[in-house]
Amino acid sequence: MTKYIPTIGIECHVQLCTKTKLFSEVDNDARGKSPNSCVSPVDYALPGMLPRLNHDAVKLTVKVGYALNAVVNLYSRFDRKHYFYPDLPKGYQITQMFYPIIGAGFVELPDGTKIRIEHAHLEEDAGKLSHESTYSLVDLNRAGTPLVEIVSQPDIHSAAHARDYTKELWRLMTHAGVTFGDLYNGNMRFDVNISIAPEGSDQLGTRTEVKNLNSFRSVERAVEYEIKRQTKLLEKGEKVVQETRGWNDATGETTGQRSKEEAEDYRYMPEPDIPPIRLSLEEVQALRDEMAWLPKDYREWMRGCLPEDTTEVLLDYPQLCRCLTELYHSNEKSNLELAKSTAKKIANLFSSVLLAEENTSLLNDELPSIAQLQDLVMMNDQKELSSTAMKEVFLRFFDPEMHYKDTRTIAKELGVVQENDLGALESIVDAVLAKPETKQAQTDFKAGQEKVIGFLVGQVMKESHGKANPSVVQDILRQKLR
């Protein structure tokens, strides 16, 4: 049986998080807003309306280039891509075909695989169609929003790597701060080109393109399905048709939509209404200097401090990563080891308490302050908070009423501050040892039965209403029962 090797290239559309659209002064964030409420005469393509370039979109695109390890071209230009579709009122899309703003680059996956980037270009988005039983509705809120289309080389050869590439791309864009990254609302969408060819062949197979995927899992499933579908066709002696296909998440299948257009079908021409973009080296460098840490920076920083799987979980939450680095840098100069220990403890709390226990909805709220987190670790280090109490106080931080209270106040309100005063603890221990019901346990311990120490510690904890430090109590008991 012939073995077929898949070859996959992915085009990713990243919606930039500018305040206004690419060519008009209209709200660029239409999430939750009524259809056709974020639209201007420019988006409707009314006669005489001319586009005006949003320079903030250009700045964010430069940051995209940096995140992609790519060349940022100092000269770029817009072109018109002609095609008619109901959600594109002008009848053409303003994009970059011949002189894109971003050149060749690469994305490195967590396993070290490098996927080359051919280029990335700046363009406007089209609107959105909603198909009903006998008619379709057009919403132009999305029309004119700034997109960066990132085009990969066909370097991907498995469904798993296609998923990993799209996820890493999402991480890069969200950590770079160029997009909201809201996949549900289409802030990033993936078009996946898939072909298969016999092993050892120097020719690529006929490709199909699956459009508008908006989740990493959908990318993986669509690639798996297409590989199986194309393999069955070739094994039956049939041909794969070059076409655009849609993905049905419910059925797990792709379906044909239209034959695939070639570049000449779009009749590209230079955009006459927008001058070329000319950047200086100083402008590009200044924008790079503004960049936040990217996933590779966090991986390098967390290596040796956190397990790799914990790091990968945290990277899905850029706001948590920024919080951890701020916490780390606040202690770094005074005590490097303390800085590492503090960051590690808080990272473990984020991953085990919030993420592993399905409390991720709390991340929509304001994160704890650096002072709260530092004091939380300090109280744990000083044995004032047990590990269990530490988690309880940490969760309490996310209560809006707690944002302006310090850690010690919250811990006292919860009644979880441990008693560490030796004098006070010795008095409680003496009271417990004086009770008749503990005499047998004392005798057993002195006879070498170590496990009864747990019973005695429990009696002290009961007497102290749970506020005694168990480890300190155990030390006191051992000294008194020698």
Side-chain angles (χ1 to χ4, degrees):
M1 182 179 291
T2 304
K3 181 178 180 181
Y4 293 97
I5 304 299
T7 299
I8 302 151
I10 297 178
E11 299 162 9
C12 174
H13 295 84
V14 181
Q15 181 177 327
L16 300 178
C17 56
T18 52
K19 290 182 179 180
T20 57
K21 293 185 178 182
L22 187 55
F23 300 119
S24 64
E25 294 82 10
V26 180
D27 190 355
N28 185 41
D29 186 6
R31 293 178 296 177
K33 296 185 175 70
S34 301
N36 297 304
S37 62
C38 300
V39 188
S40 78
V42 173
D43 306 316
Y44 281 126
L46 296 181
M49 295 298 104
L50 296 176
R52 298 173 295 280
L53 178 60
N54 184 338
H55 292 280
D56 285 341
V58 176
K59 292 177 181 179
L60 290 180
T61 306
V62 171
K63 292 184 177 183
V64 170
Y66 178 69
L68 296 175
N69 305 289
V71 175
V72 174
N73 295 317
L74 301 183
Y75 174 89
S76 59
R77 194 190 73 194
F78 286 102
D79 304 285
R80 289 185 179 182
K81 177 182 180 181
H82 291 84
Y83 64 96
F84 173 77
Y85 215 59
D87 58 1
L88 192 69
K90 293 193 297 286
Y92 62 86
Q93 178 190 34
I94 301 178
T95 182
Q96 293 181 321
M97 174 64 179
F98 302 106
Y99 296 93
I101 190 169
I102 299 172
F106 68 88
V107 170
E108 185 171 352
L109 305 187
D111 67 1
T113 302
K114 287 186 178 181
I115 309 300
R116 292 173 299 160
I117 300 299
E118 180 185 291
H119 77 275
H121 58 266
L122 183 60
E123 65 183 18
E124 63 177 341
D125 203 352
K128 181 180 180 181
L129 289 176
S130 298
H131 301 291
E132 305 296 335
S133 56
T134 58
Y135 60 92
S136 295
L137 299 172
V138 182
D139 180 7
L140 295 178
N141 277 349
R142 206 168 67 186
T145 62
L147 296 181
V148 171
E149 181 174 343
I150 302 169
V151 182
S152 82
Q153 295 278 14
D155 289 347
I156 303 168
H157 301 286
S158 72
H161 264 174
R163 175 203 63 216
D164 292 346
Y165 169 75
T166 53
K167 186 169 187 177
E168 190 66 13
L169 208 54
W170 176 85
R171 285 171 167 171
L172 287 168
M173 297 301 105
T174 52
H175 280 273
V178 302
T179 182
F180 295 122
D182 185 341
L183 296 178
Y184 178 79
N185 282 294
N187 289 169
M188 288 182 69
R189 307 191 299 276
F190 307 101
D191 298 342
V192 184
N193 293 277
I194 308 128
S195 68
I196 62 172
E199 186 175 24
S201 172
D202 58 358
Q203 297 288 325
L204 294 177
T206 301
R207 65 185 172 89
T208 60
E209 182 179 28
V210 184
K211 299 280 285 187
N212 289 325
L213 300 171
N214 67 347
S215 78
F216 316 128
R217 180 63 178 143
S218 293
V219 168
E220 183 177 30
R221 291 176 66 206
V223 170
E224 288 173 344
Y225 178 84
E226 271 302 292
I227 291 172
K228 291 177 183 177
R229 186 186 72 84
Q230 293 182 25
T231 300
K232 287 180 182 178
L233 287 174
L234 295 181
E235 287 178 344
K236 289 191 296 185
E238 299 178 15
K239 292 184 177 181
V240 175
V241 177
Q242 181 173 335
E243 62 181 345
T244 296
R245 299 180 68 84
W247 169 251
N248 187 318
D249 214 37
T251 64
E253 298 177 344
T254 65
T255 52
Q257 291 182 329
R258 65 178 187 270
S259 61
K260 178 61 180 172
E261 300 93 339
E262 299 296 343
E264 57 267 21
D265 296 322
Y266 292 121
R267 295 182 293 113
Y268 283 97
M269 61 171 281
E271 169 56 57
D273 294 328
I274 305 175
I277 299 172
R278 300 181 188 274
L279 299 170
S280 68
L281 288 172
E282 291 75 19
E283 286 177 296
V284 172
Q285 187 58 51
L287 290 167
R288 288 190 173 188
D289 291 342
E290 293 176 7
M291 290 284 290
W293 275 16
L294 296 173
K296 63 181 179 182
D297 302 308
Y298 286 111
R299 288 190 179 100
E300 183 178 342
W301 173 63
M302 293 178 181
R303 190 176 295 122
C305 293
L306 294 172
E308 188 175 317
D309 56 348
T310 301
T311 297
E312 293 303 313
V313 169
L314 291 171
L315 284 174
D316 290 343
Y317 302 91
Q319 71 274 38
L320 296 191
C321 292
R322 288 192 286 270
C323 178
L324 287 173
T325 51
E326 186 179 347
L327 183 65
Y328 175 83
H329 291 315
S330 67
N331 291 301
E332 183 182 18
K333 292 182 180 179
S334 58
N335 188 323
L336 184 59
E337 288 306 313
L338 174 64
K340 289 181 179 179
S341 173
T342 300
K344 182 176 181 180
K345 284 187 177 182
I346 296 302
N348 284 327
L349 281 173
F350 276 129
S351 60
S352 63
V353 177
L354 286 188
L355 309 183
E357 297 183 9
E358 303 302 323
N359 287 311
T360 51
S361 62
L362 293 175
L363 294 173
N364 296 324
D365 301 325
E366 185 179 339
L367 292 180
S369 69
I370 298 303
Q372 285 178 322
L373 295 173
Q374 285 179 324
D375 289 345
L376 184 66
V377 173
M378 180 196 70
M379 291 182 72
N380 177 251
D381 289 342
Q382 294 177 354
K383 311 298 184 185
E384 293 182 277
L385 291 177
S386 66
S387 297
T388 301
M390 192 181 185
K391 291 180 180 180
E392 193 174 344
V393 174
F394 177 72
L395 275 175
R396 191 72 170 154
F397 284 155
F398 292 89
D399 183 335
E401 295 180 359
M402 298 295 122
H403 289 167
Y404 304 103
K405 293 186 179 182
D406 62 73
T407 304
R408 186 172 297 278
T409 299
I410 296 171
K412 285 182 177 179
E413 288 179 1
L414 291 172
V416 294
V417 179
Q418 292 185 150
E419 177 62 68
N420 285 306
D421 184 283
L422 289 178
L425 289 178
E426 282 193 13
S427 297
I428 298 173
V429 170
D430 288 340
V432 168
L433 294 179
K435 291 182 177 182
E437 59 265 31
T438 67
K439 296 300 182 183
Q440 185 60 49
Q442 295 177 51
T443 301
D444 292 344
F445 180 79
K446 291 176 180 178
Q449 296 185 34
E450 280 279 329
K451 63 181 181 181
V452 298
I453 196 74
F455 168 77
L456 294 171
V457 170
Q459 292 300 304
V460 176
M461 295 300 293
K462 183 179 179 181
E463 188 73 18
S464 70
H465 304 289
K467 293 183 178 180
N469 185 323
S471 61
V472 176
V473 167
Q474 187 169 150
D475 290 341
I476 294 173
L477 282 168
R478 289 183 180 281
Q479 289 175 2
K480 290 184 176 291
L481 294 174
R482 283 177 180 171

